[in-house]
Amino acid sequence: MSTGAHARTDDRHTPPPRAGVRQWLGLALLVVPVALMTADLGVLWLATPYLAADLRPSGSEVLWITDIYGFLTAGTLVIIGTLGDRVGRRRLLLAGSAGFMIASVVAAYAQNAATLIGARAVLGVAGAAVLPSTLSLISHMFADPRQRATAIAMWVTALSAGLAAGPVVGGVLLERWWWGSVFLIGLPVMLPVLLVAPLLLPEYRDPRPGRLDLPSVALFLTSVLPLVYAVKHTAEHGPGGTAALSTAVGAVAVTAFVRRQNRLRDPLLDLALFRRREFTGALLTLLLGMTALNGVEYLVPQYLQSVTELSPLAAGLWLVPGAVGLVAGSQLTPVLARRFRPAWVLVGGLLISLVGYGMLTAVTGVGATAAGLTVVMFGVAPISVLGTALAVAGAPPPKAGAAAATGQTAYDLGLALGIATTGSLAAAVYRREMPPDAPAEARDTVGAALDAAGALAAPERGAALATAARDAFTAGLHTAAAASAVLALVTAAVAALLLRGVPPITGEEEQKEEPEAAGQASVNR
């Protein structure tokens, strides 16, 4: 009897197995597509003036080209993650990688805006398959808590590295080739994943996956997309019947979605979580903070190229300090969160970001604009680092996975809404500031205006049109930055009000609890 008891005691205290060379090589393979996901955003922002001049999209279509990726990623994270629970995470990673490669080729050779928007939508769905699969596999491969913490830290670092490298890579490509080349960087990145993943990565399925409710998925998408379309349509054409109808459709879908979730035994989104103050505060901080950031972050690369007339490579290099600011803020945040309450770390960062937004509301020129963006990126870094962790902390332990998945959805939705709201506001200001006698195509985008100015027979008229377009775009950027500053203030108030009760995050809790929650989130998604 005593021998058996000793055996059980020894088993209970046996440390988890440590990862070996194969697992670390697998991690090296996984972080490559993770970096691509954020690099893809930076290269697209640089390519926007060129594809706008070539495809001649409307102002609304330009916004859809940019943010349909984020909306589809946010809208399909839960359903794609649930599918991975059934078919296997490695298989889902391979399917997402293959889909990303195919959609990248279609995007690169798109002949019109509609085709490019469709390809970007597929890229968003593929991204929703790739990102959670990588994190889930990492959590499965690294059972030792310390090794898992290191592996997840490398995963987060890959996101920041992609953001830093994207503008430089995009600048080099645009200096030498056409705008479609920026999409083709996905091919050499994803191909090794397809070839080597079956050799290095284990397969993993959730033995008890939750029930997938397809009507809830449809209602979720029907709630978000019509409301976003209403914002875009109002910015482009003003209030009208179409915007009102889209708003009504979205409102009805939201109501139906909420009622259905309250009735389901296995809801797509557990609304009971929103009754918890910390959870709701973390989600609102993610959503509003990313909305404030991304509209401005989307406009600055266009400003550097179209208004200050920098080459793509030079513009990309001027964007690197912003990425460095984000990395620096991300590294400093955990240190501060161990000593101070996370709410005050978030509020402090948002107040710093206000300085950057304030700079972008008034300054002109390359250096001042890059400096303003760098301050903004440094200030919003705590949101990206702490947001999902606080959402998990604000939920009961059995709901940690659902909380993390919802936090990631709020993050992605905020990024897309930033372009939809502040981007649409900037487009509306641009059209208002353009001269009434400007050609119709010049009133849509600054790229089209500069192209039209170059085609005018009279050099004086062309120069006047180009100057007017640059001034109008600058006014739109300033207005968008002012709107982002207001959103940042609201975000700071939300964090202070709803998250002030969350205690500092100790080093031990960060090491043991957060990686496990992140892994559980990936499994549940």
Side-chain angles (χ1 to χ4, degrees), residues 127-188:
V130 170
L131 281 178
S133 296
T134 58
L135 189 54
S136 177
L137 287 169
I138 287 171
S139 299
H140 182 58
M141 291 157 56
F142 295 89
D144 179 78
R146 291 181 179 273
Q147 287 188 322
R148 186 186 300 168
T150 301
I152 291 178
M154 293 176 66
W155 186 88
V156 174
T157 301
L159 291 173
S160 299
L163 192 64
V168 179
V169 173
V172 171
L173 291 174
L174 292 169
E175 284 280 315
R176 298 175 178 271
W177 293 287
W178 90 115
W179 59 264
S181 64
V182 302
F183 292 105
L184 297 180
I185 62 173
L187 301 184

XYZ file of all heavy atoms in Angstrom, residues 127-188:
458
model
N -5.655 33.884 -42.662
C -4.961 34.367 -41.474
C -5.617 33.894 -40.186
O -4.934 33.583 -39.208
N -6.957 33.812 -40.194
C -7.676 33.305 -39.025
C -7.370 31.840 -38.777
O -7.524 31.355 -37.654
C -9.178 33.507 -39.209
N -6.966 31.112 -39.817
C -6.573 29.705 -39.648
C -5.133 29.577 -39.172
O -4.811 28.682 -38.381
C -6.764 28.954 -40.969
N -4.269 30.479 -39.621
C -2.839 30.334 -39.338
C -2.489 30.756 -37.909
O -1.847 30.004 -37.161
C -2.004 31.138 -40.353
C -0.542 31.193 -39.927
C -2.124 30.523 -41.739
N -2.901 31.964 -37.494
C -2.436 32.505 -36.217
C -2.813 31.646 -35.008
O -1.946 31.268 -34.218
C -2.931 33.935 -36.044
C -2.145 35.009 -36.806
C -2.766 36.372 -36.599
C -0.689 35.025 -36.363
N -4.109 31.310 -34.815
C -4.421 30.487 -33.634
C -3.825 29.092 -33.707
O -3.518 28.493 -32.670
C -5.956 30.444 -33.621
C -6.374 30.769 -35.001
C -5.327 31.687 -35.547
N -3.653 28.569 -34.912
C -3.043 27.242 -35.034
C -1.601 27.254 -34.549
O -1.146 26.327 -33.867
C -3.091 26.768 -36.490
O -4.420 26.599 -36.928
N -0.852 28.304 -34.891
C 0.543 28.372 -34.448
C 0.633 28.436 -32.927
O 1.432 27.723 -32.313
C 1.255 29.590 -35.067
O 0.557 30.788 -34.706
C 1.308 29.484 -36.580
N -0.208 29.263 -32.305
C -0.144 29.400 -30.847
C -0.601 28.127 -30.152
O -0.048 27.715 -29.129
C -0.984 30.596 -30.402
C -0.860 31.017 -28.938
C 0.596 31.247 -28.568
C -1.686 32.255 -28.672
N -1.625 27.472 -30.693
C -2.087 26.220 -30.106
C -1.015 25.141 -30.186
O -0.769 24.405 -29.226
C -3.354 25.751 -30.822
O -3.785 24.515 -30.325
N -0.351 25.034 -31.331
C 0.699 24.032 -31.484
C 1.883 24.315 -30.558
O 2.478 23.394 -29.985
C 1.168 23.986 -32.940
C 0.181 23.338 -33.920
C 0.613 23.594 -35.356
C 0.064 21.853 -33.655
N 2.220 25.586 -30.386
C 3.302 25.946 -29.463
C 2.960 25.494 -28.045
O 3.784 24.903 -27.334
C 3.574 27.457 -29.509
C 4.275 27.834 -30.817
C 4.419 27.900 -28.308
C 4.390 29.324 -31.045
N 1.731 25.740 -27.611
C 1.323 25.358 -26.261
C 1.323 23.842 -26.092
O 1.583 23.335 -25.004
C -0.080 25.913 -25.971
O -0.070 27.322 -26.044
N 1.050 23.119 -27.155
C 1.046 21.655 -27.104
C 2.473 21.104 -27.137
O 2.770 20.091 -26.491
C 0.249 21.116 -28.300
C 0.137 19.626 -28.330
N -0.417 18.898 -27.308
C 0.511 18.718 -29.273
C -0.384 17.602 -27.608
N 0.179 17.479 -28.791
N 3.359 21.755 -27.862
C 4.734 21.271 -28.007
C 5.588 21.545 -26.773
O 6.531 20.803 -26.484
C 5.389 21.933 -29.235
C 4.797 21.477 -30.565
S 5.075 22.687 -31.899
C 6.853 22.870 -31.881
N 5.296 22.620 -26.036
C 6.118 23.029 -24.901
C 5.311 22.850 -23.618
O 4.547 23.726 -23.218
C 6.574 24.481 -25.064
C 7.498 24.679 -26.234
C 6.999 24.965 -27.499
C 8.871 24.558 -26.080
C 7.838 25.138 -28.588
C 9.723 24.730 -27.169
C 9.209 25.009 -28.416
N 5.488 21.685 -22.982
C 4.739 21.380 -21.762
C 5.356 22.057 -20.541
O 4.645 22.400 -19.592
C 4.693 19.865 -21.554
N 6.670 22.246 -20.539
C 7.329 22.899 -19.418
C 6.935 24.381 -19.373
O 7.072 25.099 -20.374
C 8.849 22.774 -19.573
C 9.587 23.449 -18.438
O 9.657 22.864 -17.343
O 10.093 24.578 -18.650
N 6.419 24.878 -18.232
C 5.933 26.268 -18.169
C 6.988 27.306 -18.540
O 6.700 28.287 -19.219
C 5.481 26.425 -16.714
C 5.183 25.034 -16.259
C 6.156 24.154 -16.978
N 8.227 27.103 -18.103
C 9.272 28.087 -18.412
C 9.593 28.091 -19.908
O 9.731 29.145 -20.516
C 10.533 27.793 -17.597
C 10.372 28.057 -16.110
C 11.667 27.766 -15.365
N 11.531 28.038 -13.944
C 11.743 29.223 -13.383
N 12.109 30.238 -14.138
N 11.594 29.377 -12.089
N 9.711 26.907 -20.492
C 9.966 26.833 -21.931
C 8.788 27.387 -22.716
O 8.972 28.054 -23.735
C 10.240 25.388 -22.337
C 11.590 24.853 -21.893
C 11.878 23.499 -22.483
O 10.988 22.649 -22.619
N 13.125 23.266 -22.874
N 7.581 27.107 -22.230
C 6.401 27.615 -22.930
C 6.364 29.133 -22.885
O 6.022 29.790 -23.875
C 5.132 27.034 -22.310
C 3.861 27.396 -23.074
C 2.628 26.936 -22.344
N 2.623 25.493 -22.150
C 1.784 24.864 -21.346
N 0.907 25.545 -20.641
N 1.825 23.560 -21.232
N 6.720 29.706 -21.739
C 6.760 31.172 -21.637
C 7.751 31.763 -22.632
O 7.476 32.769 -23.287
C 7.113 31.588 -20.215
N 8.924 31.120 -22.757
C 9.923 31.589 -23.718
C 9.409 31.471 -25.147
O 9.589 32.377 -25.965
C 11.222 30.776 -23.561
O 11.716 30.930 -22.227
C 12.280 31.241 -24.547
N 8.769 30.341 -25.451
C 8.271 30.111 -26.806
C 7.186 31.119 -27.174
O 7.180 31.666 -28.284
C 7.729 28.683 -26.933
N 6.272 31.401 -26.247
C 5.206 32.364 -26.539
C 5.782 33.776 -26.647
O 5.321 34.584 -27.462
C 4.109 32.276 -25.466
C 3.374 30.939 -25.611
C 3.124 33.427 -25.585
C 2.297 30.701 -24.580
N 6.813 34.080 -25.851
C 7.471 35.388 -25.982
C 8.083 35.538 -27.377
O 8.027 36.618 -27.980
C 8.533 35.556 -24.913
N 8.662 34.455 -27.902
C 9.216 34.502 -29.257
C 8.105 34.670 -30.287
O 8.281 35.345 -31.303
C 10.020 33.236 -29.527
C 11.291 33.117 -28.682
S 12.175 31.562 -28.939
C 12.696 31.777 -30.651
N 6.956 34.082 -30.026
C 5.793 34.231 -30.912
C 5.361 35.699 -30.969
O 5.117 36.252 -32.047
C 4.663 33.340 -30.411
C 3.435 33.260 -31.267
C 3.201 32.404 -32.292
C 2.251 34.052 -31.134
N 1.940 32.610 -32.823
C 1.340 33.626 -32.132
C 1.859 35.093 -30.272
C 0.084 34.187 -32.288
C 0.600 35.651 -30.436
C -0.277 35.193 -31.427
N 5.278 36.336 -29.805
C 4.893 37.758 -29.750
C 5.954 38.618 -30.428
O 5.650 39.572 -31.149
C 4.672 38.190 -28.284
C 4.417 39.688 -28.206
C 3.518 37.419 -27.663
N 7.233 38.282 -30.205
C 8.321 39.031 -30.831
C 8.239 38.944 -32.355
O 8.532 39.918 -33.064
C 9.680 38.503 -30.355
O 9.757 38.636 -28.925
C 10.821 39.275 -30.984
N 7.826 37.781 -32.868
C 7.693 37.618 -34.317
C 6.647 38.573 -34.877
O 6.803 39.112 -35.983
C 7.331 36.176 -34.654
N 5.568 38.809 -34.128
C 4.554 39.771 -34.579
C 5.168 41.167 -34.725
O 4.945 41.860 -35.723
C 3.389 39.809 -33.592
C 2.498 38.572 -33.507
C 1.495 38.721 -32.364
C 1.750 38.353 -34.820
N 5.939 41.585 -33.722
C 6.567 42.906 -33.771
C 7.642 42.971 -34.851
O 7.785 43.993 -35.540
C 7.184 43.243 -32.409
O 6.199 43.282 -31.405
N 8.395 41.881 -35.022
C 9.439 41.869 -36.038
C 8.840 41.993 -37.433
O 9.385 42.687 -38.303
C 10.250 40.575 -35.929
N 7.706 41.343 -37.653
C 7.035 41.466 -38.948
C 6.583 42.887 -39.204
O 6.701 43.402 -40.323
N 6.075 43.527 -38.162
C 5.638 44.917 -38.312
C 6.802 45.828 -38.656
O 6.678 46.763 -39.460
C 4.966 45.378 -37.016
C 4.203 46.701 -37.061
C 3.020 46.594 -38.007
C 3.743 47.097 -35.672
N 7.977 45.566 -38.056
C 9.155 46.389 -38.335
C 9.719 46.118 -39.725
O 10.154 47.030 -40.432
C 10.221 46.139 -37.273
N 9.725 44.838 -40.130
C 10.336 44.478 -41.408
C 9.436 44.788 -42.601
O 9.934 45.035 -43.706
C 10.688 42.989 -41.414
N 8.125 44.773 -42.391
C 7.189 44.957 -43.500
C 7.434 46.201 -44.335
O 7.542 46.113 -45.569
N 7.539 47.392 -43.715
C 7.758 48.599 -44.519
C 9.059 48.571 -45.318
O 9.101 49.048 -46.458
C 7.772 49.720 -43.466
C 6.997 49.184 -42.326
C 7.292 47.709 -42.306
N 10.119 48.014 -44.720
C 11.393 47.982 -45.432
C 11.317 47.025 -46.621
O 11.731 47.360 -47.745
C 12.533 47.566 -44.483
C 13.850 47.499 -45.234
C 12.636 48.551 -43.322
N 10.790 45.825 -46.394
C 10.649 44.857 -47.479
C 9.741 45.409 -48.568
O 10.043 45.324 -49.770
C 10.099 43.523 -46.939
C 9.798 42.563 -48.080
C 11.096 42.893 -45.974
N 8.631 46.008 -48.156
C 7.717 46.592 -49.144
C 8.363 47.705 -49.935
O 8.153 47.825 -51.145
N 9.150 48.534 -49.243
C 9.826 49.616 -49.943
C 10.791 49.119 -50.992
O 10.856 49.650 -52.111
N 11.550 48.082 -50.656
C 12.491 47.510 -51.620
C 11.745 46.947 -52.827
O 12.133 47.163 -53.994
C 13.345 46.416 -50.947
C 14.171 45.669 -51.985
C 14.247 47.029 -49.876
N 10.670 46.219 -52.582
C 9.909 45.615 -53.680
C 9.301 46.686 -54.582
O 9.328 46.576 -55.815
C 8.811 44.711 -53.120
C 9.278 43.422 -52.432
C 8.097 42.701 -51.793
C 9.973 42.510 -53.426
N 8.718 47.729 -53.966
C 8.062 48.766 -54.761
C 9.067 49.625 -55.527
O 8.704 50.235 -56.538
C 7.188 49.638 -53.852
C 5.959 48.934 -53.263
C 5.318 49.776 -52.186
C 4.945 48.628 -54.363
N 10.294 49.679 -55.049
C 11.333 50.405 -55.786
C 11.667 49.683 -57.096
O 12.033 50.309 -58.089
C 12.598 50.512 -54.932
C 12.526 51.536 -53.824
C 12.759 52.943 -54.325
O 13.689 53.157 -55.120
O 11.987 53.828 -53.928
N 11.542 48.346 -57.101
C 12.016 47.561 -58.230
C 10.894 46.982 -59.090
O 11.089 46.772 -60.283
C 12.906 46.413 -57.727
C 14.156 46.900 -57.012
C 14.934 45.722 -56.434
N 16.168 46.165 -55.773
C 17.329 46.299 -56.389
N 17.428 46.034 -57.671
N 18.400 46.706 -55.733
N 9.744 46.669 -58.467
C 8.683 45.993 -59.202
C 7.348 46.701 -59.001
O 7.275 47.753 -58.380
C 8.586 44.531 -58.758
C 9.787 43.722 -59.156
C 10.118 43.284 -60.407
C 10.841 43.281 -58.297
N 11.291 42.587 -60.384
C 11.764 42.565 -59.093
C 11.102 43.390 -56.929
C 12.915 41.982 -58.580
C 12.243 42.811 -56.408
C 13.129 42.120 -57.235
N 6.288 46.083 -59.514
C 4.953 46.693 -59.445
C 4.308 46.388 -58.100
O 4.802 45.587 -57.311
C 4.116 46.197 -60.621
C 3.310 44.941 -60.424
C 1.955 44.836 -60.424
C 3.787 43.601 -60.222
N 1.555 43.529 -60.243
C 2.672 42.746 -60.110
C 5.064 43.038 -60.114
C 2.780 41.375 -59.908
C 5.178 41.665 -59.900
C 4.050 40.858 -59.812
N 3.165 47.042 -57.827
C 2.548 46.933 -56.504
C 2.160 45.506 -56.137
O 2.162 45.127 -54.963
C 1.321 47.837 -56.410
C 0.231 47.544 -57.419
C 0.037 48.156 -58.620
C -0.792 46.549 -57.302
N -1.047 47.609 -59.267
C -1.589 46.624 -58.473
C -1.129 45.607 -56.336
C -2.679 45.800 -58.701
C -2.226 44.775 -56.550
C -2.987 44.875 -57.722
N 1.834 44.669 -57.137
C 1.441 43.304 -56.830
C 2.541 42.468 -56.219
O 2.267 41.440 -55.566
N 3.794 42.896 -56.381
C 4.903 42.105 -55.840
C 4.854 42.011 -54.316
O 5.379 41.049 -53.735
C 6.236 42.710 -56.276
O 6.408 44.015 -55.742
N 4.225 42.994 -53.649
C 4.196 42.954 -52.189
C 3.370 41.782 -51.676
O 3.573 41.307 -50.551
C 3.670 44.282 -51.593
C 4.528 45.451 -52.055
C 2.210 44.511 -51.944
N 2.426 41.315 -52.480
C 1.626 40.168 -52.054
C 2.369 38.851 -52.249
O 2.048 37.853 -51.601
C 0.312 40.124 -52.831
C -0.621 41.252 -52.489
C -0.798 42.312 -53.352
C -1.312 41.255 -51.292
C -1.661 43.353 -53.048
C -2.173 42.292 -50.961
C -2.344 43.339 -51.843
N 3.336 38.830 -53.132
C 4.012 37.582 -53.448
C 5.026 37.159 -52.388
O 5.561 36.052 -52.460
C 4.714 37.701 -54.801
C 3.775 37.927 -55.998
C 4.564 38.039 -57.286
C 2.729 36.823 -56.099
N 5.296 38.031 -51.402
C 6.220 37.623 -50.336
C 5.650 36.460 -49.538
O 6.394 35.751 -48.848
C 6.567 38.793 -49.391
C 5.317 39.313 -48.688
C 7.276 39.895 -50.145
C 5.619 40.356 -47.630
N 4.343 36.240 -49.628
C 3.750 35.115 -48.918
C 4.164 33.763 -49.473
O 4.131 32.752 -48.755
N 4.573 33.711 -50.740
C 4.906 32.424 -51.355
C 6.167 31.793 -50.761
O 6.122 30.644 -50.306
C 5.041 32.589 -52.868
C 3.804 33.121 -53.594
C 4.050 33.127 -55.091
C 2.580 32.302 -53.259
N 7.312 32.486 -50.735
C 8.503 31.854 -50.147
C 8.392 31.652 -48.645
O 9.142 30.852 -48.069
C 9.631 32.841 -50.488
C 8.960 34.147 -50.683
C 7.621 33.832 -51.282
